[in-house]
Amino acid sequence: MANWYGNARSNYFKVKDEEAFKTWTESVCDLGYWEKDGLFAIYSEDQFGGWPSCRYVDERDEYEDIDLVEELAEHLIDGDVAVLMEAGALALRYISGYAVAVNNTGKRVSVNLDDIYELACKELGNNPTDAAY
């Protein structure tokens, strides 16, 4: 049985409070950040490469689910947008990828590689087979 392996990273964006942002990234399981010229980007440190979805809570000795995009939005300055991308594959059986953009108000837009099938059908008049086996 194959495992899904991928990569996930964001663009560089501006945050309201650098220390609060750094503390937040450290609270999220398998989340890292880069800093460059006063801008920040996040990336997955997960062994399989996907975006993290939890944090460990010491007081309860358990993990809790989080909405990474929602929490990130709280750190963005007014008017800036973070774009989070993730792509990977389960061997060559399935290739997947998506991107989501979010602003400081939490408003999101997203695209998924699988959207190409509907787009091809609509724009090209054909319903292609899946790129999978």
Side-chain angles (χ1 to χ4, degrees), residues 9 11 15 21 27 31 36 38-39 42 46 49 71 78 84 91 95 97 102 111 117 119 122:
R9 67 152 299 160
N11 66 326
V15 298
F21 174 77
S27 79
L31 185 65
K36 180 174 92 174
L39 301 172
I42 58 174
D46 179 77
E71 290 189 7
D78 291 352
L84 287 72
I95 297 174
V102 63
V111 293
Y117 299 108
L119 187 61
K122 179 181 173 188

Side-chain angles (χ1 to χ4, degrees), residues 10 13 15 17-35 39-45 51-56 66 68 71-73 75-76 84:
S10 74
F13 47 80
V15 298
D17 180 329
E18 292 183 8
E19 289 309 312
F21 174 77
K22 291 175 183 179
T23 299
W24 169 73
T25 61
E26 293 166 3
S27 79
V28 177
C29 298
D30 300 317
L31 185 65
Y33 71 88
W34 295 304
E35 184 177 0
L39 301 172
F40 290 88
I42 58 174
Y43 63 92
S44 172
E45 292 182 329
W51 284 116
S53 60
C54 68
R55 81 166 37 85
Y56 183 73
I66 63 164
L68 182 74
E71 290 189 7
L72 173 59
H75 293 278
L76 299 174
L84 287 72

